């Protein structure tokens, strides 16, 4: 039986237990023989700088933790050389040859190198190309050399955006059917009904004197609220993919509720823009991040498919509270909550450079859309390629495994308005790749896209 240390607790060469600030995938000092689809450094308590411990505690990684992790990552991964050290607008990946490399590594008992774990520096998948002559499917898009930031995140040297990961691509392919059965891939961090009732009872006994700052109540309000549930659907809960969803949701809530300072100008917290405004007693704004793509374009023959759009947008609606503490979406939108959602959407690209977890979220959305498109349009059958390695039915590509807590310590803010209290605590991610892959448009100009020949011994190359 094969075993994997990928994503589990291991000691680095310094003999220190380190938080895995990156959801990456290079194994250090492991004797496991199965192919590792990622970089496992230290323990699995963090992603994107957000510490998520199995006991439910959550906090930002300290500067010292980030500094040490950055050095550990630099020591563990190879720097890009040759063509990998050059940025390009069009890097092509052969899924046929990538799978062959994974098979070879599995049979030889080798771990994957950084070149493979980081998908040759790919920044985004913009094209899916059916190569019938070679029974292949090609993925193409811009690529850059990678570097390790001071906080330990691995990003492109040109754009500063997080690189795509093989680990996430494999998870995306293996989650298409589960996402179909679950109605999409979803993540939310929710208060319990009991916690809402405790909070309502707490607030009934609160009387603020004129001019008194309600901030002193927040500790007691959080205690009354209690732990928040982590709800996931459509994707394995122990995957890097799932932790990316949770960490992005968590970080969005921190920005929206003023629990973390915005790193970009022009994106104040919701609390700032809603200060001293009328607040409803029986409803609260909810924000979530969802897919934001243009219709997927394809040529007449269905040979070339182009994926475009920002990838992620922020949406909102109000939650109404029932007497038993449960909530329901009422379909209404708070004007100020909508303003904040629109501001985050407009600032998303800039924000994702400062907070790489948001670029990681777009990356997993891109890969889910690609995997779903290939499945829905049967592009593998059209090219007569067997994707058994990526889909998990062939060979032994093991993924990082992270212990996911079922609840987190409460992260919520409270606004005392002229008509009552507003509690902002709910959020989430809704990844409906099926809706994206079904929204198609014909573009005859895509038939002119040509892909240059590759060297026989390489699974990626540059140029149109």
């Amino acid at each position: 039986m094969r075993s994997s240390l990928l994503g589990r607790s291991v000691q680095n060469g310094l003999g220190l237990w380190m938080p895995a600030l990156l959801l990456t995938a290079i194994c250090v000092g492991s004797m496991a023989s199965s192919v590792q689809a990622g970089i496992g450094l230290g323990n699995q308590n963090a992603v994107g700088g957000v510490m998520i411990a199995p006991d439910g505690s959550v906090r930002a990684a300290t500067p010292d933790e980030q500094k040490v992790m950055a050095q550990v990552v630099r020591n563990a991964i190879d720097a890009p050389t040759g063509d990998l050290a050059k940025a390009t607008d069009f890097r092509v990946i052969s899924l046929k040859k990538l799978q062959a490399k994974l098979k070879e590594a599995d049979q030889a008992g080798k771990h994957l190198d950084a070149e493979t774990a980081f998908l040759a520096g790919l920044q985004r998948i913009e094209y899916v190309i059916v190569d019938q002559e070679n029974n292949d499917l090609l993925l193409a898009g811009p690529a850059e050399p990678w570097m390790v930031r001071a906080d330990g995140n691995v990003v492109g040297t040109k754009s500063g955006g997080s690189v795509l990961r093989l680990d996430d691509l494999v998870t995306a392919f293996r989650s298409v059917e589960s996402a179909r059965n679950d109605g999409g891939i979803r993540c939310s961090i929710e208060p319990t009904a009991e916690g809402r009732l405790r909070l309502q009872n707490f607030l009934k006994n609160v009387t603020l004197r004129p001019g008194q700052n309600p901030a002193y109540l927040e500790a007691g309000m959080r205690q009354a609220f209690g732990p928040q549930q982590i709800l996931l659907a459509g994707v394995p809960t122990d995957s890097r993919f799932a932790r990316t969803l949770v960490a992005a949701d968590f970080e969005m809530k921190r920005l929206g509720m003023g629990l973390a300072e915005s790193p970009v100008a022009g994106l104040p917290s919701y609390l700032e823009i809603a200060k001293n405004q009328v607040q409803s007693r029986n409803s609260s704004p909810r924000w979530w991040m969802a897919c934001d793509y243009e219709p997927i374009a394809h040529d007449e023959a269905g040979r070339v498919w182009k994926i475009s759009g920002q990838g992620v947008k922020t949406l909102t609606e109000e939650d109404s509270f029932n007497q038993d503490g449960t909530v329901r979406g009422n379909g209404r939108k708070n004007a100020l909550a909508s303003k904040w959602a629109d501001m985050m959407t407009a600032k998303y690209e800039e924000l994702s450079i400062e907070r790489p977890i948001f670029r990681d979220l777009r990356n997993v959305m891109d890969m889910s859309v690609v995997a779903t498109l290939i499945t829905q349009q049967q592009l593998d059958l059209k090219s007569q390629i067997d994707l058994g390695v990526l889909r998990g039915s062939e060979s032994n590509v093991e993924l990082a495994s992270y212990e996911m807590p079922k609840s987190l310590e409460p992260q919520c803010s409270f606004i005392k308005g002229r008509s009552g209290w507003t509690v902002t605590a709910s959020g989430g991610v809704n990844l409906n790749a099926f809706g994206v892959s079904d929204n198609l448009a014909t573009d005859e100009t895509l038939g002119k896209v040509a892909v240059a020949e590759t060297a026989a011994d390489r699974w990626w190359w540059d140029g149109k």
Side-chain angles (χ1 to χ4, degrees):
M1 179 177 179
R2 299 183 188 276
S3 62
S4 171
L5 291 180
L6 182 64
R8 300 179 187 155
S9 296
V10 295
Q11 285 184 297
N12 64 32
L14 301 177
L16 301 173
W17 291 96
M18 295 303 305
L21 302 182
L22 304 172
L23 286 181
T24 55
I26 286 179
C27 283
V28 179
S30 168
M31 296 302 292
S33 59
S34 53
V35 176
Q36 310 298 321
I39 299 176
L41 294 167
N43 65 43
Q44 66 273 23
N45 288 353
V47 51
V50 178
M51 305 291 289
I52 306 175
D55 65 1
S57 61
V58 182
R59 65 175 175 82
T62 68
D64 284 344
E65 288 170 335
Q66 293 177 352
K67 181 179 179 180
V68 176
M69 176 51 62
Q71 190 58 52
V72 171
V73 176
R74 291 190 186 102
N75 292 341
I77 66 176
D78 297 326
T81 59
D83 288 341
L84 286 174
K86 305 173 185 176
T88 175
D89 293 331
F90 200 81
R91 180 156 293 161
V92 182
I93 288 178
S94 160
L95 292 187
K96 180 178 180 179
K97 293 185 176 182
L98 174 60
Q99 289 194 130
K101 176 165 184 175
L102 298 179
K103 277 187 180 182
E104 179 184 357
D106 182 27
Q107 293 168 1
K110 296 179 179 178
H111 295 301
L112 300 180
D113 52 21
E115 173 184 320
T116 311
F118 297 142
L119 290 174
L122 210 61
Q123 282 281 310
R124 195 160 199 195
I125 301 172
E126 294 182 341
Y127 294 90
V128 178
I129 301 170
V130 175
D131 182 2
Q132 291 178 314
E133 293 182 0
N134 296 299
N135 302 126
D136 202 355
L137 271 175
L138 310 177
L139 308 181
E144 301 173 17
W146 55 83
M147 59 171 284
V148 182
R149 287 185 8 159
D151 58 6
N153 287 284
V154 181
V155 300
T157 58
K158 180 180 178 182
S159 67
S162 298
V163 296
L164 271 64
R165 309 294 177 84
L166 173 65
D167 195 307
D168 294 329
L169 182 63
V170 174
T171 300
F173 271 108
R174 296 181 182 180
S175 300
V176 172
E177 294 307 320
S178 60
R180 188 197 307 277
N181 296 334
D182 289 339
I185 295 173
R186 301 186 306 281
C187 162
S188 62
I189 304 174
E190 301 286 344
T192 64
E194 295 79 9
R196 292 189 184 94
L197 288 176
R198 287 195 301 268
L199 181 63
Q200 290 175 9
N201 292 331
F202 178 89
L203 293 176
K204 286 179 182 178
N205 300 316
V206 172
T207 301
L208 290 177
R209 297 187 299 273
Q212 187 176 15
N213 189 339
Y216 84 97
L217 295 169
E218 290 191 5
M221 295 169 82
R222 288 191 176 90
Q223 183 177 5
F225 220 175
Q228 295 174 254
Q229 309 167 84
I230 297 177
L231 304 176
L232 284 160
V235 67
T237 59
D238 65 344
S239 64
R240 178 187 189 277
F241 197 124
R243 288 177 72 84
T244 296
L245 303 180
V246 172
D249 179 16
F250 177 81
E251 193 66 14
M252 175 189 68
K253 292 168 69 173
R254 285 169 51 81
L255 291 172
M257 296 183 296
L259 299 173
E261 184 177 353
S262 172
V264 299
L267 183 62
S269 71
Y270 171 73
L271 268 64
E272 291 179 75
I273 63 177
K275 188 177 181 180
N276 297 324
Q277 301 297 314
V278 174
Q279 307 297 334
S280 171
R281 292 179 181 270
N282 299 311
S283 65
S284 177
R286 166 193 294 272
W287 295 276
W288 69 95
M289 290 172 286
C291 293
D292 185 23
Y293 293 89
E294 301 295 331
I296 295 179
H298 61 88
D299 64 348
E300 289 283 358
R303 186 185 69 87
V304 180
W305 302 74
K306 184 177 182 180
I307 301 164
S308 58
Q310 177 165 280
V312 186
K313 61 184 174 183
T314 305
L315 301 174
T316 185
E317 72 172 6
E318 287 191 345
D319 281 342
S320 293
F321 304 117
N322 300 318
Q323 290 186 348
D324 61 358
T326 59
V327 298
R328 67 184 186 280
N330 60 28
R332 296 193 298 269
K333 295 182 179 181
N334 175 291
L336 292 177
S338 294
K339 178 180 179 180
W340 189 83
D342 292 343
M343 292 169 67
M344 182 172 176
T345 298
K347 292 290 184 177
Y348 193 87
E349 182 64 25
E350 185 178 351
L351 182 63
S352 68
I353 301 301
E354 298 297 326
R355 293 286 188 272
I357 188 59
F358 293 114
R359 176 60 69 86
D360 284 330
L361 177 64
R362 193 194 73 179
N363 288 349
V364 299
M365 284 190 172
D366 279 0
M367 286 184 273
S368 182
V369 168
V370 166
T372 304
L373 174 69
I374 290 172
T375 302
Q376 289 289 87
Q377 297 299 324
Q378 299 185 324
L379 301 186
D380 52 334
L381 298 180
K382 190 169 186 177
S383 62
Q384 297 185 26
I385 183 177
D386 183 355
L387 294 176
V389 175
L390 293 174
R391 286 178 171 151
S393 61
E394 184 181 346
S395 194
N396 190 20
V397 180
E398 294 190 19
L399 303 180
S401 179
Y402 304 92
E403 186 176 354
M404 178 71 74
K406 296 186 181 300
S407 63
L408 298 178
E409 292 302 310
Q411 294 290 319
C412 44
S413 287
F414 311 90
I415 306 172
K416 181 64 169 69
R418 294 198 297 269
S419 297
W421 294 88
T422 288
V423 180
T424 61
S426 298
V429 177
N430 186 350
L431 202 175
N432 181 10
F434 290 93
V436 178
S437 65
D438 289 342
N439 186 17
L440 307 177
T442 302
D443 182 351
E444 296 179 0
T445 64
L446 290 177
K448 300 177 181 178
V449 174
V451 179
E453 292 292 332
T454 177
D457 61 345
R458 200 159 70 179
W459 56 272
W460 62 266
W461 64 95
D462 294 340
K464 292 188 180 180

